[in-house]
Amino acid sequence: IIPVYQRAYAWEEDQWQAFLEDLIEQAEGENNYFYGNILLEVIKKGKEYEIIDGQQRLTTLTIFMRSLLNVLKTRSENGEQINIDFDEKQKIYFENNGNRKLRPVDYDRGFYDTVIIDDRNTSPASESQKRIIKAKRFFERSLQESTTDLLLKILEKLEETEITSIELEGKKDSALMFELQNNRGKTLTNMER
């Protein structure tokens, strides 16, 4: 869950491009991909967490996965031999038996659910919603230019990615750790601080 006090989705094309370039570089190379630290506050151990730091990356990752799977599914429907269980990927990355894997801030949740989880179109009503749909279109357009072999390598690299999560209990420790960790990504505005 991305808590209400977190900022809405803020990444733009520069961050999407860097994210994609990192993935391609790692997929074409021999190195493991490292996604970075994710700071979580434990709500229900093993079931429910609030994302304190890493929400822009996790949101981008889910948008990217939707785009990647869409491109691969279209190629599969057009006759390419792609050995992926798309229903299983839906359960892993987006929703399984009503359990939605990522819950954005409340005011973007319905839009995100429609556009990313359910993969349907709707009109954005805020700047963050516009960024979500622009990111999805950016990734789909960029990925369509790549070979299926590269797309499958990217998927494999992502599925083997190591994520370091730091689980904290309580808002005080979470807020302190967030201040210490939040030195990458898009800079917070004064209002967001």
Side-chain angles (χ1 to χ4, degrees):
I1 298 170
I2 299 173
V4 69
Y5 60 82
Q6 289 278 18
R7 66 180 169 173
Y9 188 62
W11 275 20
E12 295 180 352
E13 191 165 342
D14 288 348
Q15 289 83 27
W16 307 328
Q17 186 68 45
F19 177 85
L20 181 58
E21 287 171 2
D22 285 348
L23 283 173
I24 291 170
E25 180 181 329
Q26 295 306 313
E28 292 176 336
E30 297 297 319
N31 297 328
N32 291 327
Y33 183 63
F34 182 70
Y35 198 63
N37 295 324
I38 305 295
L39 179 61
L40 305 170
E41 180 182 342
V42 177
I43 305 300
K44 291 181 187 172
K45 183 80 173 160
K47 294 186 179 209
E48 188 175 316
Y49 299 87
E50 285 190 351
I51 303 167
I52 306 305
D53 189 39
Q55 64 111 338
Q56 298 293 319
R57 288 174 286 146
L58 287 173
T59 303
T60 301
L61 178 61
T62 60
I63 295 168
F64 179 83
M65 287 303 291
R66 168 55 66 206
S67 301
L68 176 61
L69 292 172
N70 283 355
V71 170
L72 288 170
K73 188 172 185 179
T74 298
R75 290 181 184 186
S76 178
E77 290 169 348
N78 289 334
E80 279 193 55
Q81 196 66 14
I82 299 174
N83 189 21
I84 292 178
D85 182 340
F86 291 100
D87 291 332
E88 184 64 24
K89 297 298 183 196
Q90 176 74 21
K91 290 176 185 175
I92 292 170
Y93 296 109
F94 306 110
E95 180 179 30
N96 187 10
N97 294 324
N99 177 28
R100 300 209 169 194
K101 303 300 178 110
L102 181 68
R103 307 300 297 144
V105 291
D106 289 342
Y107 45 88
D108 284 341
R109 194 168 287 170
F111 181 84
Y112 173 89
D113 288 354
T114 299
V115 172
I116 304 305
I117 293 179
D118 300 333
D119 196 31
R120 293 182 292 131
N121 290 322
T122 190
S123 297
S126 68
E127 289 305 309
S128 56
Q129 291 174 9
K130 288 177 187 174
R131 285 188 207 81
I132 289 168
I133 204 158
K134 284 180 182 178
K136 183 181 177 190
R137 290 175 182 155
F138 170 84
F139 288 130
E140 285 179 344
R141 189 174 53 253
S142 298
L143 294 170
Q144 286 169 353
E145 298 172 4
S146 297
T147 65
T148 300
D149 184 55
L150 178 59
L151 299 183
L152 293 172
K153 285 180 183 177
I154 290 171
L155 179 60
E156 180 181 2
K157 191 64 74 169
L158 281 172
E159 290 185 331
E160 294 173 353
T161 295
E162 295 292 328
I163 297 177
T164 304
S165 65
I166 302 168
E167 298 179 10
L168 301 168
E169 299 200 18
K171 300 265 185 248
K172 183 178 175 185
D173 287 343
S174 299
L176 177 60
M177 184 62 96
F178 173 76
E179 279 187 45
L180 297 172
Q181 289 286 337
N182 195 28
N183 62 357
R184 294 188 48 95
K186 189 171 179 183
T187 306
L188 296 171
T189 66
N190 287 335
M191 187 173 103
E192 291 166 336
R193 278 192 214 106

XYZ file of all heavy atoms in Angstrom, residues 23-24 26-34 61 64-65 68-69 72 82-84 89 93 148-162:
311
model
N 17.579 -1.605 -17.703
C 17.080 -2.961 -17.939
C 17.697 -3.576 -19.189
O 18.122 -4.732 -19.178
C 15.557 -2.963 -18.071
C 14.772 -2.844 -16.787
C 13.290 -2.690 -17.094
C 15.004 -4.037 -15.892
N 17.737 -2.810 -20.261
C 18.298 -3.324 -21.518
C 19.777 -3.644 -21.339
O 20.247 -4.698 -21.774
C 18.062 -2.326 -22.671
C 16.564 -2.276 -23.017
C 18.898 -2.692 -23.895
C 16.165 -1.165 -23.967
N 21.365 -4.452 -18.630
C 21.518 -5.647 -17.807
C 21.071 -6.908 -18.545
O 21.679 -7.964 -18.406
C 20.752 -5.503 -16.495
C 21.278 -4.404 -15.601
C 22.758 -4.535 -15.313
O 23.241 -5.609 -14.981
N 23.501 -3.451 -15.466
N 20.015 -6.804 -19.337
C 19.525 -7.964 -20.092
C 20.532 -8.405 -21.147
O 20.660 -9.598 -21.425
C 18.181 -7.646 -20.742
N 21.230 -7.461 -21.727
C 22.222 -7.785 -22.760
C 23.568 -8.181 -22.172
O 24.400 -8.744 -22.864
C 22.381 -6.593 -23.711
C 21.143 -6.349 -24.544
C 21.245 -5.114 -25.436
O 22.032 -4.194 -25.115
O 20.535 -5.082 -26.448
N 23.773 -7.898 -20.888
C 25.044 -8.213 -20.244
C 24.955 -9.456 -19.391
O 23.966 -10.186 -19.399
N 26.005 -9.668 -18.654
C 26.101 -10.859 -17.807
C 25.833 -10.543 -16.334
O 25.857 -11.442 -15.503
C 27.501 -11.479 -17.945
C 27.807 -11.959 -19.352
C 26.881 -13.078 -19.801
O 26.580 -13.983 -18.995
O 26.430 -13.021 -20.970
N 25.624 -9.286 -16.006
C 25.446 -8.911 -14.605
C 24.021 -9.151 -14.138
O 23.078 -9.131 -14.931
C 25.778 -7.426 -14.408
C 27.224 -7.123 -14.713
O 28.094 -7.961 -14.509
N 27.479 -5.932 -15.218
N 23.870 -9.326 -12.830
C 22.540 -9.372 -12.243
C 22.005 -7.951 -12.159
O 22.769 -6.998 -12.040
C 22.581 -9.996 -10.847
C 22.890 -11.467 -10.904
O 22.505 -12.153 -11.850
N 23.585 -11.960 -9.895
N 20.702 -7.830 -12.209
C 20.065 -6.530 -12.077
C 19.747 -6.315 -10.606
O 19.231 -7.204 -9.941
C 18.798 -6.490 -12.935
C 18.088 -5.161 -12.921
C 18.697 -4.013 -13.410
C 16.794 -5.049 -12.428
C 18.040 -2.793 -13.406
C 16.128 -3.834 -12.428
C 16.762 -2.711 -12.911
O 16.109 -1.499 -12.903
N 20.065 -5.148 -10.083
C 19.770 -4.821 -8.701
C 18.781 -3.675 -8.684
O 19.047 -2.610 -9.228
C 21.047 -4.448 -7.940
C 20.801 -4.138 -6.497
C 20.452 -5.136 -5.613
C 20.913 -2.852 -6.030
C 20.210 -4.864 -4.275
C 20.679 -2.553 -4.691
C 20.329 -3.562 -3.810
N 7.753 -0.116 -11.999
C 7.947 -1.532 -12.309
C 6.633 -2.196 -12.716
O 6.587 -2.939 -13.691
C 8.557 -2.271 -11.115
C 8.765 -3.762 -11.298
C 9.714 -4.056 -12.448
C 9.286 -4.378 -10.008
N 5.661 -0.907 -16.104
C 6.531 -1.537 -17.086
C 6.110 -2.982 -17.352
O 6.049 -3.415 -18.508
C 7.989 -1.492 -16.615
C 8.923 -2.148 -17.583
C 9.394 -1.462 -18.685
C 9.300 -3.472 -17.411
C 10.234 -2.078 -19.611
C 10.142 -4.097 -18.324
C 10.608 -3.400 -19.422
N 5.828 -3.732 -16.296
C 5.432 -5.135 -16.470
C 4.137 -5.232 -17.275
O 3.996 -6.112 -18.122
C 5.278 -5.830 -15.118
C 6.597 -6.112 -14.431
S 7.754 -7.122 -15.395
C 6.923 -8.692 -15.374
N 5.209 -4.556 -20.884
C 5.991 -5.673 -21.416
C 5.091 -6.870 -21.728
O 5.163 -7.452 -22.815
C 7.071 -6.071 -20.402
C 7.934 -7.281 -20.749
C 8.704 -7.055 -22.040
C 8.894 -7.583 -19.594
N 4.225 -7.213 -20.804
C 3.330 -8.352 -21.031
C 2.339 -8.060 -22.155
O 2.002 -8.956 -22.935
C 2.624 -8.737 -19.735
C 3.553 -9.325 -18.667
C 2.811 -9.502 -17.349
C 4.181 -10.629 -19.134
N 4.290 -8.574 -25.440
C 4.519 -10.004 -25.665
C 3.222 -10.739 -25.994
O 3.197 -11.612 -26.872
C 5.196 -10.627 -24.441
C 6.660 -10.250 -24.232
C 7.149 -10.720 -22.863
C 7.533 -10.815 -25.353
N 5.652 -17.812 -28.099
C 6.087 -17.233 -26.826
C 5.511 -18.101 -25.718
O 4.294 -18.188 -25.567
C 5.631 -15.763 -26.690
C 6.255 -14.923 -27.810
C 5.978 -15.213 -25.313
C 5.778 -13.498 -27.881
N 6.391 -18.719 -24.970
C 5.977 -19.679 -23.955
C 5.788 -18.983 -22.607
O 6.619 -19.107 -21.712
C 7.008 -20.809 -23.855
C 6.518 -21.942 -22.987
O 5.315 -22.091 -22.782
N 7.444 -22.720 -22.464
N 4.709 -18.229 -22.485
C 4.384 -17.516 -21.253
C 2.929 -17.780 -20.917
O 2.055 -17.693 -21.780
C 4.612 -15.989 -21.408
C 6.097 -15.686 -21.564
C 4.042 -15.228 -20.215
C 6.406 -14.222 -21.778
N 1.037 -14.713 -15.010
C 1.766 -13.445 -14.810
C 0.832 -12.382 -14.233
O 1.239 -11.577 -13.396
C 2.383 -12.944 -16.121
C 3.439 -13.866 -16.712
C 4.623 -14.059 -15.821
C 5.670 -14.936 -16.510
N 6.652 -15.446 -15.585
N 1.886 -10.469 -10.781
C 2.273 -9.063 -10.761
C 1.148 -8.076 -10.480
O 1.429 -6.946 -10.071
C 2.949 -8.686 -12.087
C 4.231 -9.432 -12.278
C 4.347 -10.436 -13.225
C 5.329 -9.166 -11.473
C 5.520 -11.143 -13.382
C 6.507 -9.869 -11.611
C 6.594 -10.864 -12.573
O 7.756 -11.578 -12.712
N 11.722 -9.803 -29.786
C 11.075 -10.646 -28.781
C 12.119 -11.286 -27.880
O 11.914 -11.398 -26.666
C 10.200 -11.714 -29.464
O 9.197 -11.034 -30.240
C 9.528 -12.629 -28.454
N 13.244 -11.678 -28.450
C 14.314 -12.276 -27.662
C 14.774 -11.324 -26.561
O 14.938 -11.731 -25.406
C 15.488 -12.659 -28.574
C 16.589 -13.368 -27.814
O 16.299 -14.388 -27.151
O 17.742 -12.905 -27.887
N 14.968 -10.052 -26.889
C 15.375 -9.074 -25.882
C 14.284 -8.896 -24.827
O 14.575 -8.822 -23.631
C 15.718 -7.725 -26.530
C 16.115 -6.611 -25.539
C 17.328 -7.006 -24.704
C 16.361 -5.301 -26.286
N 13.040 -8.844 -25.251
C 11.941 -8.675 -24.292
C 11.891 -9.841 -23.311
O 11.679 -9.645 -22.109
C 10.607 -8.531 -25.017
C 10.464 -7.331 -25.958
C 9.063 -7.278 -26.539
C 10.827 -6.026 -25.271
N 12.103 -11.037 -23.805
C 12.109 -12.210 -22.930
C 13.305 -12.192 -21.983
O 13.194 -12.605 -20.824
C 12.076 -13.493 -23.755
C 10.770 -13.723 -24.527
C 10.900 -14.913 -25.471
C 9.583 -13.906 -23.580
N 14.443 -11.682 -22.452
C 15.610 -11.550 -21.581
C 15.342 -10.525 -20.482
O 15.747 -10.711 -19.333
C 16.838 -11.127 -22.390
C 17.443 -12.234 -23.214
C 18.648 -11.723 -23.983
C 19.237 -12.798 -24.873
N 20.362 -12.295 -25.674
N 14.678 -9.426 -20.836
C 14.330 -8.411 -19.837
C 13.392 -9.014 -18.794
O 13.587 -8.819 -17.588
C 13.697 -7.169 -20.503
C 14.755 -6.408 -21.305
C 13.057 -6.259 -19.460
C 14.198 -5.296 -22.183
N 12.388 -9.744 -19.248
C 11.456 -10.384 -18.317
C 12.200 -11.337 -17.390
O 11.997 -11.318 -16.172
C 10.355 -11.123 -19.085
C 9.329 -11.868 -18.230
C 8.582 -10.918 -17.302
C 8.355 -12.633 -19.121
N 13.064 -12.137 -17.943
C 13.838 -13.079 -17.125
C 14.712 -12.337 -16.124
O 14.799 -12.708 -14.946
C 14.710 -13.954 -18.031
C 15.542 -14.962 -17.273
C 16.416 -15.818 -18.186
O 16.419 -15.606 -19.421
O 17.115 -16.685 -17.648
N 15.357 -11.272 -16.571
C 16.225 -10.486 -15.690
C 15.410 -9.893 -14.537
O 15.832 -9.942 -13.374
C 16.912 -9.375 -16.483
C 18.010 -8.665 -15.761
C 19.194 -9.523 -15.402
C 20.058 -9.865 -16.575
N 21.342 -10.488 -16.171
N 14.229 -9.369 -14.847
C 13.383 -8.805 -13.796
C 12.926 -9.874 -12.812
O 12.861 -9.630 -11.608
C 12.161 -8.109 -14.408
C 12.420 -6.729 -14.982
C 11.208 -6.227 -15.733
C 12.803 -5.756 -13.881
N 12.615 -11.047 -13.327
C 12.127 -12.106 -12.443
C 13.238 -12.682 -11.567
O 12.953 -13.328 -10.572
C 11.428 -13.186 -13.260
C 10.117 -12.671 -13.819
C 9.279 -13.694 -14.545
O 9.830 -14.656 -15.117
O 8.050 -13.519 -14.549
N 14.479 -12.421 -11.919
C 15.613 -12.877 -11.114
C 16.201 -11.761 -10.256
O 17.176 -11.966 -9.552
C 16.709 -13.432 -12.030
C 16.294 -14.682 -12.760
C 17.327 -15.137 -13.789
O 18.313 -14.408 -14.031
O 17.122 -16.223 -14.358
N 15.607 -10.597 -10.321
C 16.119 -9.427 -9.628
C 16.056 -9.584 -8.117
O 15.077 -10.070 -7.579
C 15.314 -8.175 -10.041
O 15.543 -7.936 -11.415
C 15.731 -6.954 -9.256
N 17.106 -9.123 -7.488
C 17.141 -9.095 -6.029
C 16.653 -7.724 -5.559
O 17.104 -6.697 -6.045
C 18.568 -9.316 -5.525
C 19.113 -10.690 -5.842
C 18.421 -11.801 -5.071
O 17.987 -11.555 -3.926
O 18.305 -12.905 -5.628
